PDB file of all heavy atoms in Angstrom:
ATOM      1  N   ALA S 101     -26.402 -39.091 -52.240  1.00 98.00           N
ATOM      2  CA  ALA S 101     -26.189 -40.486 -51.758  1.00 98.00           C
ATOM      3  C   ALA S 101     -25.573 -40.528 -50.453  1.00 98.00           C
ATOM      4  O   ALA S 101     -25.976 -41.394 -49.600  1.00 98.00           O
ATOM      5  CB  ALA S 101     -25.290 -41.321 -52.873  1.00 98.00           C
ATOM      6  N   THR S 102     -24.506 -39.734 -50.172  1.00 98.00           N
ATOM      7  CA  THR S 102     -23.934 -39.697 -48.847  1.00 98.00           C
ATOM      8  C   THR S 102     -24.723 -39.089 -47.720  1.00 98.00           C
ATOM      9  O   THR S 102     -24.876 -39.687 -46.695  1.00 98.00           O
ATOM     10  CB  THR S 102     -22.608 -38.917 -48.931  1.00 98.00           C
ATOM     11  OG1 THR S 102     -21.710 -39.405 -49.905  1.00 98.00           O
ATOM     12  CG2 THR S 102     -21.927 -38.878 -47.553  1.00 98.00           C
ATOM     13  N   LEU S 103     -25.478 -38.135 -48.175  1.00 97.00           N
ATOM     14  CA  LEU S 103     -26.498 -37.590 -47.132  1.00 97.00           C
ATOM     15  C   LEU S 103     -27.534 -38.529 -46.805  1.00 97.00           C
ATOM     16  O   LEU S 103     -27.850 -38.703 -45.525  1.00 97.00           O
ATOM     17  CB  LEU S 103     -27.146 -36.314 -47.768  1.00 97.00           C
ATOM     18  CG  LEU S 103     -26.358 -35.087 -47.838  1.00 97.00           C
ATOM     19  CD1 LEU S 103     -26.986 -34.001 -48.782  1.00 97.00           C
ATOM     20  CD2 LEU S 103     -25.922 -34.443 -46.481  1.00 97.00           C
ATOM     21  N   GLN S 104     -27.999 -39.222 -47.746  1.00 98.00           N
ATOM     22  CA  GLN S 104     -29.127 -40.346 -47.324  1.00 98.00           C
ATOM     23  C   GLN S 104     -28.557 -41.539 -46.617  1.00 98.00           C
ATOM     24  O   GLN S 104     -29.253 -41.988 -45.824  1.00 98.00           O
ATOM     25  CB  GLN S 104     -29.752 -40.748 -48.694  1.00 98.00           C
ATOM     26  CG  GLN S 104     -30.582 -39.825 -49.417  1.00 98.00           C
ATOM     27  CD  GLN S 104     -31.175 -40.325 -50.748  1.00 98.00           C
ATOM     28  OE1 GLN S 104     -30.553 -41.188 -51.502  1.00 98.00           O
ATOM     29  NE2 GLN S 104     -32.312 -39.888 -51.015  1.00 98.00           N
ATOM     30  N   ALA S 105     -27.273 -41.847 -46.811  1.00 97.00           N
ATOM     31  CA  ALA S 105     -26.635 -42.804 -46.110  1.00 97.00           C
ATOM     32  C   ALA S 105     -26.236 -42.418 -44.655  1.00 97.00           C
ATOM     33  O   ALA S 105     -25.871 -43.301 -43.852  1.00 97.00           O
ATOM     34  CB  ALA S 105     -25.335 -43.350 -46.879  1.00 97.00           C
ATOM     35  N   SER S 106     -26.360 -41.127 -44.338  1.00 98.00           N
ATOM     36  CA  SER S 106     -25.875 -40.647 -43.138  1.00 98.00           C
ATOM     37  C   SER S 106     -26.894 -40.490 -41.991  1.00 98.00           C
ATOM     38  O   SER S 106     -26.619 -40.196 -40.918  1.00 98.00           O
ATOM     39  CB  SER S 106     -25.160 -39.242 -43.262  1.00 98.00           C
ATOM     40  OG  SER S 106     -24.019 -39.310 -44.123  1.00 98.00           O
ATOM     41  N   VAL S 107     -28.119 -40.506 -42.555  1.00 98.00           N
ATOM     42  CA  VAL S 107     -29.289 -40.194 -41.695  1.00 98.00           C
ATOM     43  C   VAL S 107     -30.294 -41.369 -41.438  1.00 98.00           C
ATOM     44  O   VAL S 107     -30.322 -42.396 -42.133  1.00 98.00           O
ATOM     45  CB  VAL S 107     -30.023 -38.962 -42.209  1.00 98.00           C
ATOM     46  CG1 VAL S 107     -29.110 -37.920 -42.137  1.00 98.00           C
ATOM     47  CG2 VAL S 107     -30.666 -39.230 -43.608  1.00 98.00           C
ATOM     48  N   THR S 108     -31.095 -41.271 -40.472  1.00 97.00           N
ATOM     49  CA  THR S 108     -32.214 -42.352 -40.218  1.00 97.00           C
ATOM     50  C   THR S 108     -33.419 -42.166 -41.213  1.00 97.00           C
ATOM     51  O   THR S 108     -34.074 -43.116 -41.287  1.00 97.00           O
ATOM     52  CB  THR S 108     -32.704 -42.168 -38.732  1.00 97.00           C
ATOM     53  OG1 THR S 108     -33.203 -40.836 -38.566  1.00 97.00           O
ATOM     54  CG2 THR S 108     -31.517 -42.352 -37.680  1.00 97.00           C
ATOM     55  N   ASN S 109     -33.592 -41.042 -41.828  1.00 97.00           N
ATOM     56  CA  ASN S 109     -34.700 -40.879 -42.709  1.00 97.00           C
ATOM     57  C   ASN S 109     -34.265 -40.359 -44.028  1.00 97.00           C
ATOM     58  O   ASN S 109     -34.195 -39.155 -44.313  1.00 97.00           O
ATOM     59  CB  ASN S 109     -35.675 -39.925 -41.931  1.00 97.00           C
ATOM     60  CG  ASN S 109     -36.923 -39.737 -42.987  1.00 97.00           C
ATOM     61  OD1 ASN S 109     -37.264 -40.588 -43.804  1.00 97.00           O
ATOM     62  ND2 ASN S 109     -37.728 -38.645 -42.748  1.00 97.00           N
ATOM     63  N   PRO S 110     -33.669 -41.233 -44.831  1.00 97.00           N
ATOM     64  CA  PRO S 110     -33.076 -40.836 -46.198  1.00 97.00           C
ATOM     65  C   PRO S 110     -34.021 -40.079 -47.028  1.00 97.00           C
ATOM     66  O   PRO S 110     -33.607 -39.201 -47.833  1.00 97.00           O
ATOM     67  CB  PRO S 110     -32.666 -42.184 -46.773  1.00 97.00           C
ATOM     68  CG  PRO S 110     -32.650 -43.096 -45.767  1.00 97.00           C
ATOM     69  CD  PRO S 110     -33.687 -42.707 -44.739  1.00 97.00           C
ATOM     70  N   SER S 111     -35.412 -40.259 -46.896  1.00 96.00           N
ATOM     71  CA  SER S 111     -36.383 -39.560 -47.814  1.00 96.00           C
ATOM     72  C   SER S 111     -36.327 -38.023 -47.729  1.00 96.00           C
ATOM     73  O   SER S 111     -36.740 -37.417 -48.636  1.00 96.00           O
ATOM     74  CB  SER S 111     -37.756 -40.104 -47.485  1.00 96.00           C
ATOM     75  OG  SER S 111     -38.227 -39.665 -46.159  1.00 96.00           O
ATOM     76  N   ASP S 112     -35.795 -37.549 -46.525  1.00 95.00           N
ATOM     77  CA  ASP S 112     -35.706 -35.950 -46.483  1.00 95.00           C
ATOM     78  C   ASP S 112     -34.766 -35.533 -47.572  1.00 95.00           C
ATOM     79  O   ASP S 112     -34.894 -34.375 -47.855  1.00 95.00           O
ATOM     80  CB  ASP S 112     -34.982 -35.676 -45.160  1.00 95.00           C
ATOM     81  CG  ASP S 112     -36.003 -35.544 -43.968  1.00 95.00           C
ATOM     82  OD1 ASP S 112     -37.194 -36.007 -44.279  1.00 95.00           O
ATOM     83  OD2 ASP S 112     -35.539 -35.283 -42.830  1.00 95.00           O
ATOM     84  N   PHE S 113     -33.923 -36.303 -48.162  1.00 97.00           N
ATOM     85  CA  PHE S 113     -32.973 -35.822 -49.317  1.00 97.00           C
ATOM     86  C   PHE S 113     -33.459 -36.402 -50.645  1.00 97.00           C
ATOM     87  O   PHE S 113     -32.681 -36.415 -51.623  1.00 97.00           O
ATOM     88  CB  PHE S 113     -31.517 -36.247 -48.928  1.00 97.00           C
ATOM     89  CG  PHE S 113     -31.041 -35.848 -47.645  1.00 97.00           C
ATOM     90  CD1 PHE S 113     -30.996 -36.424 -46.474  1.00 97.00           C
ATOM     91  CD2 PHE S 113     -30.593 -34.427 -47.584  1.00 97.00           C
ATOM     92  CE1 PHE S 113     -30.474 -35.891 -45.384  1.00 97.00           C
ATOM     93  CE2 PHE S 113     -30.039 -33.841 -46.453  1.00 97.00           C
ATOM     94  CZ  PHE S 113     -30.003 -34.607 -45.393  1.00 97.00           C
ATOM     95  N   ASP S 114     -34.661 -36.686 -50.770  1.00 97.00           N
ATOM     96  CA  ASP S 114     -35.302 -37.114 -52.102  1.00 97.00           C
ATOM     97  C   ASP S 114     -35.335 -35.940 -52.918  1.00 97.00           C
ATOM     98  O   ASP S 114     -35.004 -36.040 -54.140  1.00 97.00           O
ATOM     99  CB  ASP S 114     -36.599 -37.806 -51.974  1.00 97.00           C
ATOM    100  CG  ASP S 114     -36.549 -39.200 -51.358  1.00 97.00           C
ATOM    101  OD1 ASP S 114     -35.584 -39.793 -51.334  1.00 97.00           O
ATOM    102  OD2 ASP S 114     -37.685 -39.626 -51.106  1.00 97.00           O
ATOM    103  N   ASP S 115     -35.729 -34.782 -52.493  1.00 96.00           N
ATOM    104  CA  ASP S 115     -35.733 -33.432 -53.253  1.00 96.00           C
ATOM    105  C   ASP S 115     -34.504 -32.680 -52.684  1.00 96.00           C
ATOM    106  O   ASP S 115     -34.447 -32.222 -51.564  1.00 96.00           O
ATOM    107  CB  ASP S 115     -37.008 -32.855 -52.971  1.00 96.00           C
ATOM    108  CG  ASP S 115     -37.162 -31.430 -53.763  1.00 96.00           C
ATOM    109  OD1 ASP S 115     -36.138 -30.996 -54.393  1.00 96.00           O
ATOM    110  OD2 ASP S 115     -38.213 -30.846 -53.659  1.00 96.00           O
ATOM    111  N   MET S 116     -33.636 -32.592 -53.561  1.00 96.00           N
ATOM    112  CA  MET S 116     -32.318 -31.828 -53.163  1.00 96.00           C
ATOM    113  C   MET S 116     -32.345 -30.356 -53.413  1.00 96.00           C
ATOM    114  O   MET S 116     -31.344 -29.641 -53.324  1.00 96.00           O
ATOM    115  CB  MET S 116     -31.208 -32.509 -53.960  1.00 96.00           C
ATOM    116  CG  MET S 116     -31.007 -33.929 -53.632  1.00 96.00           C
ATOM    117  SD  MET S 116     -30.402 -34.074 -51.700  1.00 96.00           S
ATOM    118  CE  MET S 116     -28.879 -33.260 -51.878  1.00 96.00           C
ATOM    119  N   THR S 117     -33.468 -29.718 -53.824  1.00 95.00           N
ATOM    120  CA  THR S 117     -33.554 -28.338 -54.221  1.00 95.00           C
ATOM    121  C   THR S 117     -33.053 -27.427 -53.139  1.00 95.00           C
ATOM    122  O   THR S 117     -32.187 -26.531 -53.389  1.00 95.00           O
ATOM    123  CB  THR S 117     -34.977 -27.899 -54.585  1.00 95.00           C
ATOM    124  OG1 THR S 117     -35.484 -28.673 -55.670  1.00 95.00           O
ATOM    125  CG2 THR S 117     -34.877 -26.482 -55.052  1.00 95.00           C
ATOM    126  N   ILE S 118     -33.554 -27.570 -51.976  1.00 93.00           N
ATOM    127  CA  ILE S 118     -33.056 -26.705 -50.840  1.00 93.00           C
ATOM    128  C   ILE S 118     -31.777 -26.822 -50.466  1.00 93.00           C
ATOM    129  O   ILE S 118     -31.000 -25.890 -50.181  1.00 93.00           O
ATOM    130  CB  ILE S 118     -34.043 -26.812 -49.630  1.00 93.00           C
ATOM    131  CG1 ILE S 118     -33.802 -25.712 -48.643  1.00 93.00           C
ATOM    132  CG2 ILE S 118     -33.855 -28.288 -49.013  1.00 93.00           C
ATOM    133  CD1 ILE S 118     -34.721 -25.796 -47.458  1.00 93.00           C
ATOM    134  N   TYR S 119     -31.160 -28.028 -50.540  1.00 93.00           N
ATOM    135  CA  TYR S 119     -29.803 -28.343 -50.246  1.00 93.00           C
ATOM    136  C   TYR S 119     -28.910 -27.962 -51.369  1.00 93.00           C
ATOM    137  O   TYR S 119     -27.695 -27.495 -51.119  1.00 93.00           O
ATOM    138  CB  TYR S 119     -29.559 -29.756 -50.050  1.00 93.00           C
ATOM    139  CG  TYR S 119     -30.526 -30.301 -48.874  1.00 93.00           C
ATOM    140  CD1 TYR S 119     -31.488 -31.029 -49.109  1.00 93.00           C
ATOM    141  CD2 TYR S 119     -30.207 -29.939 -47.727  1.00 93.00           C
ATOM    142  CE1 TYR S 119     -32.453 -31.556 -48.057  1.00 93.00           C
ATOM    143  CE2 TYR S 119     -31.016 -30.406 -46.511  1.00 93.00           C
ATOM    144  CZ  TYR S 119     -32.238 -31.114 -46.909  1.00 93.00           C
ATOM    145  OH  TYR S 119     -32.942 -31.592 -45.903  1.00 93.00           O
ATOM    146  N   GLN S 120     -29.219 -27.860 -52.635  1.00 93.00           N
ATOM    147  CA  GLN S 120     -28.529 -27.212 -53.675  1.00 93.00           C
ATOM    148  C   GLN S 120     -28.433 -25.823 -53.502  1.00 93.00           C
ATOM    149  O   GLN S 120     -27.305 -25.245 -53.721  1.00 93.00           O
ATOM    150  CB  GLN S 120     -29.155 -27.606 -55.027  1.00 93.00           C
ATOM    151  CG  GLN S 120     -28.344 -27.097 -56.235  1.00 93.00           C
ATOM    152  CD  GLN S 120     -26.992 -27.672 -56.335  1.00 93.00           C
ATOM    153  OE1 GLN S 120     -26.810 -28.817 -56.469  1.00 93.00           O
ATOM    154  NE2 GLN S 120     -25.965 -26.852 -56.206  1.00 93.00           N
ATOM    155  N   ASN S 121     -29.536 -25.214 -53.132  1.00 92.00           N
ATOM    156  CA  ASN S 121     -29.466 -23.764 -52.894  1.00 92.00           C
ATOM    157  C   ASN S 121     -28.411 -23.411 -51.715  1.00 92.00           C
ATOM    158  O   ASN S 121     -27.743 -22.378 -51.861  1.00 92.00           O
ATOM    159  CB  ASN S 121     -30.863 -23.259 -52.522  1.00 92.00           C
ATOM    160  CG  ASN S 121     -31.762 -23.202 -53.701  1.00 92.00           C
ATOM    161  OD1 ASN S 121     -31.337 -23.085 -54.830  1.00 92.00           O
ATOM    162  ND2 ASN S 121     -33.062 -23.263 -53.515  1.00 92.00           N
ATOM    163  N   LYS S 122     -28.532 -24.202 -50.657  1.00 90.00           N
ATOM    164  CA  LYS S 122     -27.590 -23.983 -49.563  1.00 90.00           C
ATOM    165  C   LYS S 122     -26.162 -24.131 -50.004  1.00 90.00           C
ATOM    166  O   LYS S 122     -25.341 -23.400 -49.681  1.00 90.00           O
ATOM    167  CB  LYS S 122     -28.006 -24.964 -48.458  1.00 90.00           C
ATOM    168  CG  LYS S 122     -27.193 -24.726 -47.202  1.00 90.00           C
ATOM    169  CD  LYS S 122     -27.578 -25.651 -46.039  1.00 90.00           C
ATOM    170  CE  LYS S 122     -26.697 -25.453 -44.770  1.00 90.00           C
ATOM    171  NZ  LYS S 122     -27.252 -26.335 -43.700  1.00 90.00           N
ATOM    172  N   SER S 123     -25.888 -25.324 -50.798  1.00 91.00           N
ATOM    173  CA  SER S 123     -24.381 -25.450 -51.158  1.00 91.00           C
ATOM    174  C   SER S 123     -23.986 -24.500 -52.115  1.00 91.00           C
ATOM    175  O   SER S 123     -22.766 -24.255 -52.320  1.00 91.00           O
ATOM    176  CB  SER S 123     -24.395 -26.832 -51.853  1.00 91.00           C
ATOM    177  OG  SER S 123     -24.907 -27.042 -53.108  1.00 91.00           O
ATOM    178  N   ASP S 124     -24.791 -23.710 -52.786  1.00 92.00           N
ATOM    179  CA  ASP S 124     -24.443 -22.626 -53.573  1.00 92.00           C
ATOM    180  C   ASP S 124     -23.906 -21.420 -52.718  1.00 92.00           C
ATOM    181  O   ASP S 124     -23.150 -20.715 -53.268  1.00 92.00           O
ATOM    182  CB  ASP S 124     -25.630 -22.127 -54.456  1.00 92.00           C
ATOM    183  CG  ASP S 124     -26.042 -23.069 -55.548  1.00 92.00           C
ATOM    184  OD1 ASP S 124     -25.150 -23.868 -55.853  1.00 92.00           O
ATOM    185  OD2 ASP S 124     -27.087 -22.938 -56.063  1.00 92.00           O
ATOM    186  N   ILE S 125     -24.325 -21.411 -51.449  1.00 93.00           N
ATOM    187  CA  ILE S 125     -23.888 -20.348 -50.624  1.00 93.00           C
ATOM    188  C   ILE S 125     -22.768 -20.803 -49.645  1.00 93.00           C
ATOM    189  O   ILE S 125     -21.711 -20.211 -49.579  1.00 93.00           O
ATOM    190  CB  ILE S 125     -25.041 -19.775 -49.728  1.00 93.00           C
ATOM    191  CG1 ILE S 125     -26.142 -19.250 -50.681  1.00 93.00           C
ATOM    192  CG2 ILE S 125     -24.698 -18.675 -48.830  1.00 93.00           C
ATOM    193  CD1 ILE S 125     -25.807 -18.131 -51.496  1.00 93.00           C
ATOM    194  N   ILE S 126     -22.893 -21.979 -48.976  1.00 94.00           N
ATOM    195  CA  ILE S 126     -21.955 -22.440 -48.045  1.00 94.00           C
ATOM    196  C   ILE S 126     -20.980 -23.502 -48.843  1.00 94.00           C
ATOM    197  O   ILE S 126     -21.536 -24.533 -49.222  1.00 94.00           O
ATOM    198  CB  ILE S 126     -22.679 -23.315 -46.940  1.00 94.00           C
ATOM    199  CG1 ILE S 126     -23.735 -22.327 -46.133  1.00 94.00           C
ATOM    200  CG2 ILE S 126     -21.614 -23.740 -45.886  1.00 94.00           C
ATOM    201  CD1 ILE S 126     -23.176 -21.125 -45.515  1.00 94.00           C
ATOM    202  N   LYS S 127     -19.784 -23.036 -48.985  1.00 94.00           N
ATOM    203  CA  LYS S 127     -19.034 -23.880 -49.957  1.00 94.00           C
ATOM    204  C   LYS S 127     -18.217 -24.946 -49.240  1.00 94.00           C
ATOM    205  O   LYS S 127     -17.819 -25.888 -49.959  1.00 94.00           O
ATOM    206  CB  LYS S 127     -18.085 -22.925 -50.701  1.00 94.00           C
ATOM    207  CG  LYS S 127     -18.607 -21.604 -51.333  1.00 94.00           C
ATOM    208  CD  LYS S 127     -19.761 -22.047 -52.236  1.00 94.00           C
ATOM    209  CE  LYS S 127     -19.303 -22.723 -53.405  1.00 94.00           C
ATOM    210  NZ  LYS S 127     -20.296 -22.979 -54.353  1.00 94.00           N
ATOM    211  N   ALA S 128     -17.975 -24.707 -48.020  1.00 96.00           N
ATOM    212  CA  ALA S 128     -17.288 -25.848 -47.223  1.00 96.00           C
ATOM    213  C   ALA S 128     -17.312 -25.653 -45.736  1.00 96.00           C
ATOM    214  O   ALA S 128     -17.660 -24.579 -45.216  1.00 96.00           O
ATOM    215  CB  ALA S 128     -15.719 -25.657 -47.731  1.00 96.00           C
ATOM    216  N   TYR S 129     -17.176 -26.732 -45.092  1.00 97.00           N
ATOM    217  CA  TYR S 129     -17.094 -26.762 -43.556  1.00 97.00           C
ATOM    218  C   TYR S 129     -15.724 -27.277 -43.265  1.00 97.00           C
ATOM    219  O   TYR S 129     -15.141 -28.341 -43.755  1.00 97.00           O
ATOM    220  CB  TYR S 129     -18.107 -27.679 -42.888  1.00 97.00           C
ATOM    221  CG  TYR S 129     -19.551 -27.269 -43.195  1.00 97.00           C
ATOM    222  CD1 TYR S 129     -20.100 -27.710 -44.507  1.00 97.00           C
ATOM    223  CD2 TYR S 129     -20.423 -26.634 -42.437  1.00 97.00           C
ATOM    224  CE1 TYR S 129     -21.407 -27.358 -44.766  1.00 97.00           C
ATOM    225  CE2 TYR S 129     -21.676 -26.309 -42.726  1.00 97.00           C
ATOM    226  CZ  TYR S 129     -22.207 -26.709 -43.812  1.00 97.00           C
ATOM    227  OH  TYR S 129     -23.484 -26.338 -44.064  1.00 97.00           O
ATOM    228  N   SER S 130     -14.987 -26.545 -42.285  1.00 96.00           N
ATOM    229  CA  SER S 130     -13.629 -26.979 -42.008  1.00 96.00           C
ATOM    230  C   SER S 130     -13.445 -26.881 -40.416  1.00 96.00           C
ATOM    231  O   SER S 130     -14.331 -26.340 -39.662  1.00 96.00           O
ATOM    232  CB  SER S 130     -12.593 -26.101 -42.669  1.00 96.00           C
ATOM    233  OG  SER S 130     -12.704 -24.682 -42.224  1.00 96.00           O
ATOM    234  N   ASN S 131     -12.386 -27.421 -39.863  1.00 95.00           N
ATOM    235  CA  ASN S 131     -11.976 -27.500 -38.543  1.00 95.00           C
ATOM    236  C   ASN S 131     -13.190 -27.957 -37.640  1.00 95.00           C
ATOM    237  O   ASN S 131     -13.596 -27.403 -36.681  1.00 95.00           O
ATOM    238  CB  ASN S 131     -11.640 -26.060 -38.062  1.00 95.00           C
ATOM    239  CG  ASN S 131     -10.395 -25.540 -38.797  1.00 95.00           C
ATOM    240  OD1 ASN S 131      -9.494 -26.146 -39.126  1.00 95.00           O
ATOM    241  ND2 ASN S 131     -10.514 -24.203 -39.155  1.00 95.00           N
ATOM    242  N   ILE S 132     -13.666 -29.074 -38.037  1.00 96.00           N
ATOM    243  CA  ILE S 132     -14.900 -29.664 -37.451  1.00 96.00           C
ATOM    244  C   ILE S 132     -14.574 -30.388 -36.154  1.00 96.00           C
ATOM    245  O   ILE S 132     -13.615 -31.283 -36.135  1.00 96.00           O
ATOM    246  CB  ILE S 132     -15.537 -30.691 -38.378  1.00 96.00           C
ATOM    247  CG1 ILE S 132     -16.014 -29.900 -39.772  1.00 96.00           C
ATOM    248  CG2 ILE S 132     -16.813 -31.331 -37.654  1.00 96.00           C
ATOM    249  CD1 ILE S 132     -16.450 -30.893 -40.804  1.00 96.00           C
ATOM    250  N   ASN S 133     -15.163 -29.911 -35.063  1.00 96.00           N
ATOM    251  CA  ASN S 133     -15.028 -30.609 -33.645  1.00 96.00           C
ATOM    252  C   ASN S 133     -16.363 -31.040 -33.155  1.00 96.00           C
ATOM    253  O   ASN S 133     -17.299 -30.233 -33.376  1.00 96.00           O
ATOM    254  CB  ASN S 133     -14.301 -29.604 -32.670  1.00 96.00           C
ATOM    255  CG  ASN S 133     -12.918 -29.381 -33.082  1.00 96.00           C
ATOM    256  OD1 ASN S 133     -12.081 -30.104 -32.828  1.00 96.00           O
ATOM    257  ND2 ASN S 133     -12.515 -28.171 -33.658  1.00 96.00           N
ATOM    258  N   CYS S 134     -16.385 -32.173 -32.572  1.00 96.00           N
ATOM    259  CA  CYS S 134     -17.537 -32.760 -31.985  1.00 96.00           C
ATOM    260  C   CYS S 134     -17.453 -32.824 -30.546  1.00 96.00           C
ATOM    261  O   CYS S 134     -16.643 -33.493 -29.905  1.00 96.00           O
ATOM    262  CB  CYS S 134     -17.801 -34.210 -32.726  1.00 96.00           C
ATOM    263  SG  CYS S 134     -18.068 -34.301 -34.356  1.00 96.00           S
ATOM    264  N   TYR S 135     -18.374 -32.124 -29.788  1.00 95.00           N
ATOM    265  CA  TYR S 135     -18.545 -31.978 -28.374  1.00 95.00           C
ATOM    266  C   TYR S 135     -19.709 -32.901 -28.051  1.00 95.00           C
ATOM    267  O   TYR S 135     -20.889 -32.536 -28.399  1.00 95.00           O
ATOM    268  CB  TYR S 135     -18.505 -30.734 -27.953  1.00 95.00           C
ATOM    269  CG  TYR S 135     -17.302 -29.799 -28.423  1.00 95.00           C
ATOM    270  CD1 TYR S 135     -17.477 -29.051 -29.496  1.00 95.00           C
ATOM    271  CD2 TYR S 135     -16.230 -29.814 -27.554  1.00 95.00           C
ATOM    272  CE1 TYR S 135     -16.328 -28.422 -29.917  1.00 95.00           C
ATOM    273  CE2 TYR S 135     -15.080 -29.092 -28.017  1.00 95.00           C
ATOM    274  CZ  TYR S 135     -15.233 -28.438 -29.211  1.00 95.00           C
ATOM    275  OH  TYR S 135     -13.994 -27.657 -29.565  1.00 95.00           O
ATOM    276  N   THR S 136     -19.480 -34.031 -27.350  1.00 95.00           N
ATOM    277  CA  THR S 136     -20.591 -35.002 -27.282  1.00 95.00           C
ATOM    278  C   THR S 136     -20.999 -35.229 -25.724  1.00 95.00           C
ATOM    279  O   THR S 136     -20.172 -35.191 -24.847  1.00 95.00           O
ATOM    280  CB  THR S 136     -20.152 -36.335 -27.799  1.00 95.00           C
ATOM    281  OG1 THR S 136     -18.960 -36.779 -27.366  1.00 95.00           O
ATOM    282  CG2 THR S 136     -20.080 -36.153 -29.426  1.00 95.00           C
TER     283      THR S 136
END
């Protein structure tokens, strides 16, 4: 739900298989900095 609400094309997250596989490996993101 949050992923779909964060992007311009929510349908990219209709199938979550690849993102579930990724979240099984990447457990967290920290110390996030945005250089714009």
Side-chain angles (χ1 to χ4, degrees):
T102 300
L103 289 169
Q104 290 181 325
S106 301
V107 298
T108 58
N109 183 19
S111 64
D112 274 2
F113 296 100
D114 286 346
D115 181 357
M116 294 296 291
T117 304
I118 191 170
Y119 302 103
Q120 182 61 62
N121 290 333
K122 183 175 180 179
S123 71
D124 289 342
I125 303 297
I126 307 298
K127 310 306 293 183
Y129 300 82
S130 59
N131 302 321
I132 301 167
N133 288 285
C134 296
Y135 302 91
T136 54

